[in-house]
Amino acid sequence: MGVYMQPTKKNGKLIIKMTEFSGFYKLSVEERIARIKEYAQLSEAELIVLKNTGALKLDVANRMAENVISATHLPLGLGTNFKINGKEYVVPMAVEESSVIAAASHGAKLSLPLGFEAHADEPIMIGQVQIVGLKNAGDVAVKLESKKTEIEKIARELTKNMEMRGGGFRRFYTRAIKTERGEMLIAYFEIDVRDSMGANTINTMLEGIAPSLREYAEEGQIRLRIVSNFADKRKARARAIWKKETIGEEAIEGILDAYTFAKTDIYRATTHNKGIMNGIDALAIATGNDWRAIEAGAHAYALRSGKYQPLTHYEKNKEGNLVGMIELPIALGIVGGSINSNSIAKIALKILNVKNATELAMVAVCIGLANNFAALKALSTEGIQKGHMKLHARNLAVIVGASTDKEIDEIALALERRGTYTADCARDILKEIRLDRFFL
Ligand code: MEV
């Protein structure tokens, strides 16, 4: 603790010095909390909040990331009404935004009784090794090609744990590139990672094989050895039909207009895809997965033609019903990574009842499609604020101190009637309710 100075104050304000945090990682969690308490002048009540990490115990959190002082929380809800390839699912979703879970459940409900049809590719991830400083990358590509059998043997050896589970090495190829920093050769490895997300498997394998690649190349320098988050060999797709008798012709026309807008305008397409990722990320987080990887892959896929496009597609079939489709890369696992130390993720996977990562990928795209459908339907007809605000009104009631369900309901209803959704208004209503009760 000796390296730490008392935080300096100037004109009553804390002066932040970077040195005050050097070596922070060496401290125990307790010591870090004590340090941050004095640094940010936290109260005892705030310390109690920091130390309450819920299902993620502080010592477990401390093993998952660095400089840990607490854990943060998100609501975990259940998406309902999902029927996918004839099987019914209750879908855990972790998300802080109101209406996302309701929208997914609503979109799924309107797809019944048929529900969704979905399909997912084999769980193949791609890894890349970069070799730089080459006189002629094409020549090196030929050299590596001539050693293909040896390279593949090493790749198999390095992924034999995956092979034992039915996955393992699938393909090796190279790509020579000319850049402003000279010629480079990129070696690609495709590995079937079965039920894991796969980044660890791939990265370990790449670091293991890189020295042999350098040896066979006979020149150059190995640089990057890393998984690609553009998991385009691991896509999932889904389809649903929303009947005109169920949702009405006006909703169908509205959704088709909204979709056409997204196809032609990147400002809209980005928000359209954000709505899709609302559901997919919520599932990824609930199941302890790396949602940044999913996000990166999704948006790269949206741009694969060179023009950023919606990840869903809508059309009217000959009966006049709405057909919705979705396709994107989904690198989600049900084992490995942080899932093992995340007890909520394990429970979420049990609730979801998927037998492998491929099935999880299918559920993910169905949620994305359901969320997108529900958003477009609401946006193109009544707008989304009505639904959003209903939930927001309940949040406001809690924020201003409503302490019973009755108070929360009364405030939410009054806010809705007044059409003003502010904390001040909610506070006034709470005062009025309590005053009325006092005089009753
Ligand atoms: C909000 O989180 C998501 C939406 O903006 C999606 C969309 O506009 O399609 C409602």
Side-chain angles (χ1 to χ4, degrees):
M1 268 311 262
V3 291
Y4 293 114
M5 295 169 282
Q6 283 294 321
T8 326
K9 274 195 175 180
K10 196 174 174 188
N11 300 333
K13 282 195 179 148
L14 282 170
I15 306 298
I16 302 168
K17 289 213 185 81
M18 260 198 296
T19 50
E20 286 173 26
F21 285 91
S22 97
F24 196 66
Y25 70 97
K26 289 184 197 153
L27 305 181
S28 69
V29 182
E30 283 298 328
E31 286 170 328
R32 280 185 214 133
I33 293 175
R35 174 65 196 150
I36 202 70
K37 174 183 188 291
E38 73 181 35
Y39 174 78
Q41 311 283 294
L42 300 180
S43 66
E44 287 303 322
E46 284 166 332
L47 286 200
I48 292 172
V49 174
L50 268 189
K51 288 179 187 171
N52 177 10
T53 57
L56 181 57
K57 298 281 166 270
L58 207 44
D59 59 328
V60 178
N62 192 36
R63 289 195 294 272
M64 292 168 83
E66 302 74 35
N67 290 350
V68 167
I69 57 160
S70 183
T72 185
H73 304 270
L74 287 175
L76 177 72
L78 296 175
T80 53
N81 308 315
F82 279 89
K83 186 167 157 192
I84 304 169
N85 297 336
K87 176 173 166 183
E88 291 176 5
Y89 294 86
V90 172
V91 186
M93 300 173 77
V95 61
E96 84 297 347
E97 186 180 334
S98 58
S99 301
V100 170
I101 299 171
S105 306
H106 179 62
K109 187 173 183 184
L110 295 178
S111 76
L112 296 173
L114 287 174
F116 300 83
E117 271 171 35
H119 174 265
D121 299 333
E122 292 298 305
I124 291 174
M125 296 293 285
I126 299 167
Q128 299 178 297
V129 179
Q130 179 195 29
I131 312 174
V132 302
L134 305 174
K135 281 187 266 325
N136 185 325
D139 288 350
V140 177
V142 173
K143 276 188 213 160
L144 293 192
E145 188 61 32
S146 73
K147 294 286 180 188
K148 204 169 179 161
T149 315
E150 288 87 334
I151 293 170
E152 292 187 356
K153 191 165 168 249
I154 302 168
R156 268 200 189 92
E157 187 57 31
L158 288 168
T159 52
K160 69 171 181 290
N161 282 347
M162 275 299 159
E163 201 166 303
M164 267 150 41
R165 295 184 201 124
F169 170 78
R170 291 289 179 267
R171 207 174 148 217
F172 162 72
Y173 50 96
T174 60
R175 190 167 77 91
I177 48 176
K178 286 194 167 69
T179 77
E180 70 271 19
R181 289 183 56 82
E183 300 207 9
M184 301 179 185
L185 188 76
I186 314 300
Y188 289 76
F189 291 88
E190 291 183 6
I191 312 289
D192 182 328
V193 296
R194 288 291 95 193
D195 284 333
S196 67
M197 183 274 185
N200 283 336
T201 304
I202 300 265
N203 295 342
T204 308
M205 181 261 153
L206 297 176
E207 292 192 6
I209 206 164
S212 307
L213 292 180
R214 170 62 187 83
E215 188 188 322
Y216 297 140
E218 294 172 352
E219 60 170 305
Q221 191 181 355
I222 300 287
R223 291 283 195 207
L224 273 56
R225 293 141 291 168
I226 188 73
V227 69
S228 168
N229 291 123
F230 187 48
D232 69 339
K233 294 282 178 297
R234 195 180 186 179
K235 295 191 291 292
R237 51 202 71 77
R239 182 177 180 275
I241 298 178
W242 284 277
K243 295 243 170 87
K244 63 173 188 285
E245 295 77 20
T246 316
I247 63 170
E249 289 183 29
E250 189 49 32
I252 294 181
E253 295 309 319
I255 290 169
L256 290 172
D257 286 340
Y259 166 60
T260 309
F261 179 15
K263 272 201 302 184
T264 52
D265 180 300
I266 189 169
Y267 290 94
R268 177 56 212 153
T270 306
T271 320
H272 177 109
N273 288 343
K274 189 272 181 183
I276 294 171
M277 301 314 290
N278 270 344
I280 297 181
D281 286 347
L283 173 65
I285 296 170
T287 54
N289 272 283
D290 178 349
W291 72 97
R292 286 89 56 212
I294 299 283
E295 280 284 335
H299 297 290
Y301 195 65
L303 194 61
R304 68 196 179 285
S305 68
K307 182 175 178 212
Y308 189 86
Q309 286 287 290
L311 291 163
T312 48
H313 170 91
Y314 291 92
E315 62 193 38
K316 218 173 358 179
N317 67 12
K318 59 181 186 314
E319 288 82 33
N321 298 322
L322 182 75
V323 185
M325 286 167 256
I326 185 167
E327 182 182 81
L328 68 148
I330 297 282
L332 288 176
I334 60 166
V335 293
S338 67
I339 298 172
N340 295 344
S341 33
N342 182 337
S343 46
I344 290 284
K346 283 198 249 172
I347 296 170
L349 284 163
K350 201 166 173 184
I351 294 171
L352 193 55
N353 187 27
V354 290
K355 56 182 185 314
N356 53 37
T358 312
E359 192 179 342
L360 178 59
M362 291 193 260
V363 175
V365 284
C366 292
I367 302 213
L369 181 57
N371 267 110
N372 180 237
F373 162 84
L376 299 191
K377 179 171 171 290
L379 285 167
S380 61
T381 53
E382 62 180 20
I384 55 160
Q385 283 311 84
K386 205 169 139 195
H388 260 303
M389 284 308 175
K390 267 194 184 159
L391 277 170
H392 185 52
R394 299 180 66 78
N395 275 339
L396 286 176
V398 175
I399 289 167
V400 300
S403 52
T404 62
D405 282 349
K406 190 165 179 292
E407 275 183 353
I408 296 171
D409 288 344
E410 281 182 48
I411 295 175
L413 193 69
L415 287 171
E416 212 182 316
R417 285 210 185 106
R418 294 185 196 184
T420 312
Y421 295 92
T422 63
D424 282 346
C425 191
R427 200 169 291 114
D428 289 346
I429 297 167
L430 181 62
K431 264 190 218 145
E432 285 163 25
I433 294 172
R434 288 189 177 166
L435 212 60
D436 281 355
R437 209 177 301 139
F438 184 76
F439 286 112
L440 273 181

